[in-house]
Amino acid sequence: MAAASVFRPGLFNHKVAIVTGGGTGIGKAISAELLELGCNVVISSRKAEKLNSAVEELQTKISHSNPATVTSVPCNIRNEDEVKSLVSEVIKQYGRIDFLVNNGGGQFTSPVENMSSKGWRAVIDTNLNGTFHCCKEVYTAWMKQHGGVIINIIADMWKGFPGMAHTGAARAGVDNLTKSLAIEWASSGVRVNAVAPGTIFSKTAMENYKELGPSLFKMFIPNSPAKRLGIPEEISSAVCFLLSPGASFISGATLRVDAGQSLYHSAWTIPDHSAWPEAPEGENLEAVKELLNQPKSKL
Ligand code: ADE
């Protein structure tokens, strides 16, 4: 059972949302909270089977007095034609699209030196190009004429993203795309914002990282000012706020939902080494060598 929303029941009655990656992890929590608030939700990802079981699960949480419905449309967001079909199908089914939540994405851990061009391109294609396809199609097919709200889910990539540089680059791209669209589409009454989660534990995220999962998540705890991991429901409440009339004057913003993690330590450790280029000769170099009591050190 999902945590109860802090927002008013019926807040999103009769609205329609597309949530990409809406059947798992953060996306499922967003879908569940939107449904709880009365929003009709279309979840989308590549695999029909997984979507069907997520729809079944989400349906069991909708109370009888709640008019919300949940359906699914399979779509590979890398493919522009499939995104066009997704959007036209939602307009056909519901006659409107009020909200787009770009949450679908994926990555794998690898230092850049071991990353293939194919792996790099796949992550950029899903996270950056896929988000572009969804934003553009929802805008041209519906929001340009009717307004709406778009939320892009990105990541804590503010200090770079060593170990997952492809997703860092893609998410930084989406952060900037968010700002461009907020300006380009303001005259259609479309608000565009991003949410940058810190380290969020979900069963699906844990499975994605396979045997690395448990240690990866545990490793992050000391790096969080909260000294705990976040959970998907802590992201969905921020998304619901940004979609709501409570955020009617917010656009082009990226909300970090990370307990301050991005202001604190990096999880990446740099081994001790002496590979750094030498500092230039001079009185300051002499002084610092003296301070460190290492007259012979190359510093
Ligand atoms: N989630 C992860 N990859 C995806 C893709 N290519 N299309 C839709 N959802 C996804």
Side-chain angles (χ1 to χ4, degrees):
M1 189 68 192
S5 177
V6 299
F7 297 101
R8 152 171 79 75
L11 179 65
F12 295 137
N13 272 4
H14 313 302
K15 301 282 189 195
V16 175
I18 297 175
V19 182
T20 65
T24 53
I26 289 174
K28 188 164 78 176
I30 294 168
S31 301
E33 188 160 357
L34 286 172
L35 284 165
E36 194 184 330
L37 298 172
C39 191
N40 297 297
V41 178
V42 181
I43 60 173
S44 184
S45 63
R46 276 177 302 178
K47 302 215 170 90
E49 242 172 66
K50 285 195 179 167
L51 283 172
N52 291 340
S53 60
V55 164
E56 268 180 37
E57 185 190 332
L58 287 164
Q59 260 161 352
T60 63
K61 296 179 186 164
I62 306 173
S63 74
H64 293 299
S65 57
N66 184 342
T69 60
V70 56
T71 54
S72 67
V73 178
C75 169
N76 181 353
I77 57 173
R78 295 183 196 176
N79 182 316
E80 191 173 16
D81 289 338
E82 289 191 33
V83 172
K84 285 186 179 184
S85 305
L86 161 68
V87 171
S88 66
E89 180 61 32
V90 175
I91 295 172
K92 197 169 106 196
Q93 266 186 41
Y94 291 95
R96 58 190 295 151
I97 303 172
D98 300 279
F99 307 142
L100 168 65
V101 181
N102 285 304
N103 166 77
Q107 55 271 316
F108 56 90
T109 54
S110 172
V112 168
E113 65 182 311
N114 298 335
M115 221 177 252
S116 67
S117 173
K118 189 173 166 213
W120 169 272
R121 283 166 186 273
V123 173
I124 300 291
D125 209 11
T126 305
N127 296 293
L128 179 56
N129 302 340
T131 300
F132 158 76
H133 290 147
C134 293
C135 289
K136 185 181 168 194
E137 190 54 28
V138 164
Y139 179 71
T140 52
W142 185 261
M143 290 187 182
K144 184 174 181 178
Q145 296 301 327
H146 303 90
V149 192
I150 298 175
I151 308 292
N152 296 321
I153 307 297
I154 56 169
D156 174 13
M157 46 61 198
W158 308 104
K159 297 189 182 78
F161 211 147
M164 285 198 274
H166 41 23
T167 210
R171 307 309 181 128
V174 174
D175 180 54
N176 200 266
L177 176 67
T178 301
K179 300 180 208 315
S180 301
L181 299 184
I183 300 303
E184 289 195 13
W185 297 350
S187 58
S188 296
V190 176
R191 295 189 296 109
V192 189
N193 292 296
V195 168
T199 308
I200 303 298
F201 175 88
S202 72
K203 286 189 282 180
T204 33
M206 180 99 139
E207 282 157 20
N208 178 47
Y209 296 115
K210 305 207 168 73
E211 67 283 356
L212 284 177
S215 57
L216 208 63
F217 278 110
K218 284 183 195 160
M219 185 182 86
F220 270 99
I221 296 173
N223 297 320
S224 169
K227 301 294 175 190
R228 71 162 169 85
L229 298 167
I231 61 166
E233 289 75 9
E234 292 176 298
I235 303 303
S236 76
S237 52
V239 170
C240 287
F241 163 66
L242 288 170
L243 291 172
S244 80
S248 55
F249 211 54
I250 302 178
S251 194
T254 297
L255 180 57
R256 300 182 190 197
V257 184
D258 66 0
Q261 173 183 310
S262 54
L263 304 172
Y264 198 48
H265 300 305
S266 168
W268 186 264
T269 49
I270 299 171
D272 283 339
H273 66 87
S274 55
W276 204 257
E278 278 192 63
E281 297 289 336
E283 60 178 1
N284 288 318
L285 180 60
E286 293 311 312
V288 75
K289 281 182 176 176
E290 202 179 304
L291 171 77
L292 300 176
N293 216 0
Q294 292 176 340
K296 296 245 156 51
S297 142
K298 78 176 204 174
L299 207 78

